[in-house]
Amino acid sequence: MAFTIMIDQFEGPLDLMLHLIKDNKLDLFDLDMNILTDQYLQYLNAMESMHLEVASEYLAELAGLLEYKSKKLLPREKVVIEEEYEEDQREKLVKRLLEYQRYKEVSAQFEQKYEERQLMMSKPISEETNKWVHTVTEAEIDGNPYDLIKAMNRVLRRMALSHPLETRMTVKELSLDERVVQIKKRLRDFVGKMSFEDLCSDCDSLHMVIVTFLSVLDLIKHKEITFTLDAQDVIWIIKGEVVYA
Amino acid sequence: MHEHLKPILEGLLFLSGDEGITMEQLLDCLEEVSKEELEETLDTMMKAYLENTHGIELVRFGGVYKFVSKESIHPYAQRLFSSTKMSTLSSAALETLAIVAYKQPITRVEIEEIRGVNCDMMVRKLLARNLIKECGRTDAPGRPFLYEVTEEFMDTFKLESLKELPDLPEFKEERDEELFE
Amino acid sequence: MHEHLKPILEGLLFLSGDEGITMEQLLDCLEEVSKEELEETLDTMMKAYLENTHGIELVRFGGVYKFVSKESIHPYAQRLFSSTKMSTLSSAALETLAIVAYKQPITRVEIEEIRGVNCDMMVRKLLARNLIKECGRTDAPGRPFLYEVTEEFMDTFKLESLKELPDLPEFKEERDEELFE
């Protein structure tokens, strides 16, 4: 599947999801979470493979989608699936998408008004008014240095911010591929099963945890590892492919 | 109608330029005139300036009356004046502003919940552009700031007041309607 | 008469404010129009604005056409502009003063580069209020004036010397450090 649209054309994960829903003609009111999750994941993978930075927000939402999907995929006898919980999760997402869509749509009207307004111009206050302004004695001006520094702050802030509003702020983060290599290295000499928590012991940010999680999914996909969940919901990572008995 | 008021208002509004004048300022200045008389006269003037024979119009955005040139003048103004730069607002900025306008007072975290992305930088940019402002804090942990839109926001989006905001679109299930097709 | 010209001229003359527009500028801007047509239209407009229903008039001084307020509205203007907010400095004035104080000696163009808006008017206001003063010229084309703050500025802001001004914070392109909340 060819992704011709870049991630920075989206205002965030919800925007991307709305695009995928529309593109795949999904029914927002009867949302097929499987298709959405697959498409979303494919999209992010495509971005990663083009070495495009994917903002953490996208990964955070992905984690939610994957959680939903993984609960559905896991063998029923192994996990107690709470249907209600799942429906709640799905409804919650749909509600968020609907809410977001409202503001997205209405902001198009704001844009139109904004453009109209830009075409209307005015003039500065007339010089003539100086002579009346001047009737106020200078002594009445009550300035203090703090007003000055505040004013200068405003100026500098505006200058610092006058870069394109679109600049995306992302901290340089570990990529999925780099993390996969790291994890493989750690598992090479390891015997037995390692908990996901242990695997994350070197993570210093939520982003890294998510990348680790994605790496695990990737390794599972390539049948390099497999996993089990125990009664306490701890994820155990096992090297090699395990056939469910 | 109060014909004698019209030239006074026209002159004052012309002098004040883009700073404009509020109703309160006019009431202070023209003590003998009632608010109703002023509003009536200003309304009549607004209508009169909308006529094609005029190149300027009288607007009231965010409670401030001012004269502005009409859209139709813009191409000529661009030729005549060197600095008629247009600035743009990104769709991220527009989205964030729309959320604040409909939900105000609102915290940054609440904006982020709706947009699904971090809005720290965006909120600071909109504050710097004076399109939103702080309006108190909530009692929630960390006592986060509440934000609301400014008069400048109203001016920027041609709004007299927040009552003029377009209705938020409702997205409803369409399946029911399909049954009757 | 050239009715279609009237709104265009009204709009452009309004926008040109105190500076006004010369016949040459108008001819450049409205290429397809002859000088005779323009003069005729402007004459008609001058007469029309002389009517009592208007508070502004169109004048031509030294070859420059501009709108000015009529004498009759000056008493009202005096009340409006001396009573409102003029005892405090506007934020635009504060910003301009801050830039001069921190960067002096500085030209008007340099101030404009920092503020991002035309500051001609503001510089003149601050000169008129004796908060800034000329202090020589640069060698740049047009030999623009340099400005610095005055003793009166120091009094107003209760400063003994400019060294007392607080240090400026550094504004860098900030990275979002609160990505995870």
Side-chain angles (χ1 to χ4, degrees):
Chain A
M1 174 160 191
F3 287 103
T4 47
I5 304 171
M6 293 295 147
I7 197 108
D8 56 3
Q9 283 182 252
F10 297 105
E11 299 307 333
L14 297 174
D15 199 17
L16 172 57
M17 283 186 219
L18 285 174
H19 168 79
L20 294 173
I21 287 166
K22 204 175 151 207
D23 228 35
N24 292 282
K25 301 195 169 58
L26 299 182
D27 183 353
L28 189 49
F29 293 95
D30 185 22
L31 190 57
D32 189 327
M33 295 284 280
N34 272 331
I35 301 180
L36 179 62
T37 306
D38 288 346
Q39 290 286 315
Y40 190 89
L41 189 55
Q42 271 190 49
Y43 200 97
L44 295 200
N45 281 339
M47 291 303 121
E48 288 265 350
S49 64
M50 284 189 267
H51 303 288
L52 293 168
E53 200 85 51
V54 175
S56 313
E57 290 111 351
Y58 289 87
L59 299 177
E61 294 294 340
L62 176 63
L65 289 173
L66 289 174
E67 186 195 354
Y68 182 91
K69 189 182 171 173
S70 55
K71 291 218 174 182
K72 280 270 194 197
L73 283 182
L74 289 173
R76 291 208 162 226
E77 57 272 24
K78 289 211 168 194
V79 185
V80 187
I81 297 174
E82 296 166 42
E83 292 281 352
E84 251 177 55
Y85 163 82
E86 280 176 20
E87 279 316 296
D88 274 1
Q89 288 300 100
R90 192 173 77 150
E91 260 172 42
K92 236 159 109 184
L93 179 64
V94 169
K95 224 179 122 195
R96 286 176 66 207
L97 287 168
L98 282 170
E99 173 87 341
Y100 174 69
Q101 196 178 20
R102 299 173 84 193
Y103 292 105
K104 191 178 154 57
E105 298 253 314
V106 86
S107 66
Q109 291 182 57
F110 276 72
E111 185 168 31
Q112 195 198 333
K113 290 277 181 196
Y114 180 76
E115 278 165 10
E116 286 168 15
R117 180 65 182 89
Q118 290 286 104
L119 297 177
M120 301 156 90
M121 294 175 287
S122 195
K123 66 183 249 313
I125 185 167
S126 290
E127 214 169 331
E128 285 179 87
T129 58
N130 273 342
K131 62 184 179 225
W132 301 304
V133 172
H134 224 69
T135 58
V136 176
T137 54
E138 307 291 353
E140 281 179 48
I141 303 172
D142 186 24
N144 77 60
Y146 269 102
D147 291 340
L148 270 190
I149 183 109
K150 268 199 273 179
M152 196 64 185
N153 274 345
R154 280 200 303 272
V155 172
L156 292 174
R157 202 174 271 274
R158 260 209 317 273
M159 279 178 85
L161 296 175
S162 64
H163 303 287
L165 275 180
E166 266 316 283
T167 326
R168 227 171 246 286
M169 301 299 134
T170 41
V171 181
K172 174 68 191 140
E173 288 152 338
L174 194 63
S175 81
L176 190 56
D177 290 345
E178 287 162 348
R179 189 63 176 155
V180 166
V181 173
Q182 283 182 359
I183 292 172
K184 276 193 192 166
K185 215 190 260 172
R186 274 175 69 191
L187 288 176
R188 196 187 303 142
D189 309 315
F190 189 81
V191 188
K193 51 184 193 177
M194 184 190 276
S195 74
F196 182 68
E197 227 168 286
D198 282 340
L199 197 60
C200 290
S201 55
D202 59 345
C203 295
D204 53 9
S205 70
L206 177 60
H207 175 265
M208 204 162 158
V209 174
I210 293 168
V211 170
T212 307
F213 184 63
L214 292 175
S215 307
V216 167
L217 290 176
D218 198 55
L219 288 164
I220 293 170
K221 198 167 105 193
H222 293 99
K223 302 198 164 75
E224 305 225 22
I225 59 167
T226 187
F227 73 100
T228 61
L229 269 181
D230 69 13
Q232 278 79 48
D233 270 352
V234 174
I235 307 170
W236 292 98
I237 313 287
I238 306 157
K239 265 194 292 181
E241 194 179 355
V242 168
V243 183
Y244 286 110
Chain B
M1 249 296 287
H2 313 276
E3 279 302 333
H4 69 290
L5 281 178
K6 196 189 152 267
I8 300 171
L9 293 171
E10 186 183 76
L12 295 178
L13 285 162
F14 170 78
L15 286 171
S16 71
D18 52 11
E19 298 204 5
I21 314 181
T22 64
M23 178 54 75
E24 290 66 40
Q25 288 175 313
L26 287 174
L27 285 169
D28 271 358
C29 171
L30 305 162
E31 284 161 359
E32 64 286 9
V33 186
S34 73
K35 191 175 171 185
E36 289 66 37
E37 286 175 297
L38 274 175
E39 275 175 342
E40 209 182 304
T41 312
L42 287 162
D43 279 350
T44 318
M45 287 172 71
M46 283 170 110
K47 284 197 197 84
Y49 272 100
L50 280 181
E51 297 281 331
N52 280 339
T53 49
H54 284 290
I56 56 176
E57 59 185 300
L58 178 56
V59 295
R60 179 180 58 202
F61 297 140
V64 179
Y65 291 90
K66 62 170 91 166
F67 277 124
V68 293
S69 61
K70 288 186 180 173
E71 284 182 39
S72 56
I73 301 301
H74 192 259
Y76 302 99
Q78 267 186 317
R79 268 191 265 172
L80 188 62
F81 304 106
S82 53
S83 60
T84 53
K85 274 182 239 139
M86 308 257 290
S87 64
T88 57
L89 278 178
S90 68
S91 23
L94 288 165
E95 268 179 38
T96 311
L97 285 170
I99 292 168
V100 177
Y102 285 96
K103 294 272 193 174
Q104 70 175 47
I106 187 171
T107 64
R108 198 195 69 211
V109 171
E110 287 166 338
I111 302 171
E112 287 173 349
E113 275 164 15
I114 296 175
R115 291 196 59 223
V117 294
N118 181 288
C119 298
D120 185 31
M121 199 59 182
M122 180 53 71
V123 163
R124 280 190 275 164
K125 283 181 185 183
L126 295 176
L127 283 171
R129 284 182 82 156
N130 197 25
L131 291 168
I132 61 172
K133 64 177 184 225
E134 288 162 2
C135 61
R137 290 165 178 265
T138 68
D139 288 332
R143 309 211 58 228
F145 280 113
L146 287 162
Y147 299 100
E148 64 181 18
V149 294
T150 60
E151 271 180 20
E152 179 126 354
F153 166 90
M154 309 275 229
D155 191 350
T156 305
F157 294 99
K158 298 175 66 179
L159 293 167
E160 288 197 11
S161 77
L162 284 184
K163 287 195 196 102
E164 277 190 12
L165 284 177
D167 287 334
L168 270 182
E170 281 290 347
F171 297 98
K172 294 216 178 71
E173 219 159 338
E174 276 164 32
R175 274 185 302 187
D176 290 359
E177 286 160 42
E178 280 164 36
L179 284 176
F180 303 105
E181 269 179 358
Chain C
M1 250 295 286
H2 313 277
E3 278 303 329
H4 70 289
L5 280 178
K6 196 189 154 269
I8 299 170
L9 292 172
E10 185 182 78
L12 293 177
L13 284 161
F14 166 75
L15 289 176
S16 71
D18 294 319
E19 309 268 318
I21 316 181
T22 64
M23 178 55 75
E24 288 65 39
Q25 288 173 314
L26 286 174
L27 285 169
D28 271 356
C29 174
L30 305 162
E31 285 162 358
E32 65 285 10
V33 186
S34 74
K35 191 172 173 185
E36 289 65 38
E37 285 175 298
L38 274 176
E39 274 174 344
E40 206 181 308
T41 312
L42 286 163
D43 280 350
T44 319
M45 286 171 71
M46 285 170 108
K47 284 196 197 84
Y49 272 100
L50 280 180
E51 298 279 330
N52 279 338
T53 50
H54 284 289
I56 55 177
E57 58 187 309
L58 179 56
V59 296
R60 180 181 57 201
F61 294 139
V64 178
Y65 291 90
K66 62 173 160 181
F67 278 123
V68 294
S69 62
K70 287 187 182 170
E71 285 281 347
S72 58
I73 72 122
H74 287 189
Y76 302 98
Q78 164 130 28
R79 263 194 270 171
L80 181 68
F81 293 100
S82 66
S83 66
T84 55
K85 71 192 169 186
M86 294 308 179
S87 57
T88 56
L89 287 165
S90 68
S91 54
L94 276 171
E95 284 179 21
T96 311
L97 280 173
I99 292 166
V100 177
Y102 279 99
K103 305 262 183 183
Q104 70 177 50
I106 186 169
T107 65
R108 198 196 69 210
V109 171
E110 286 166 338
I111 302 171
E112 286 173 355
E113 273 165 16
I114 296 173
R115 287 199 60 221
V117 292
N118 182 292
C119 298
D120 186 27
M121 193 62 180
M122 182 53 70
V123 164
R124 277 190 275 168
K125 273 191 197 179
L126 296 174
L127 283 170
R129 293 175 85 157
N130 198 25
L131 291 167
I132 63 172
K133 65 177 185 221
E134 287 161 4
C135 62
R137 291 164 177 265
T138 69
D139 290 333
R143 310 211 55 229
F145 281 112
L146 286 162
Y147 299 99
E148 62 181 20
V149 295
T150 58
E151 286 294 316
E152 184 139 350
F153 167 88
M154 306 293 255
D155 281 350
T156 305
F157 289 94
K158 304 170 188 72
L159 291 168
E160 300 242 321
S161 87
L162 286 182
K163 289 198 192 94
E164 279 180 36
L165 280 178
D167 283 338
L168 284 179
E170 289 286 330
F171 281 89
K172 299 207 182 80
E173 189 73 19
E174 287 158 76
R175 301 204 304 180
D176 269 10
E177 259 136 15
E178 294 161 65
L179 283 175
F180 310 105
E181 273 186 39

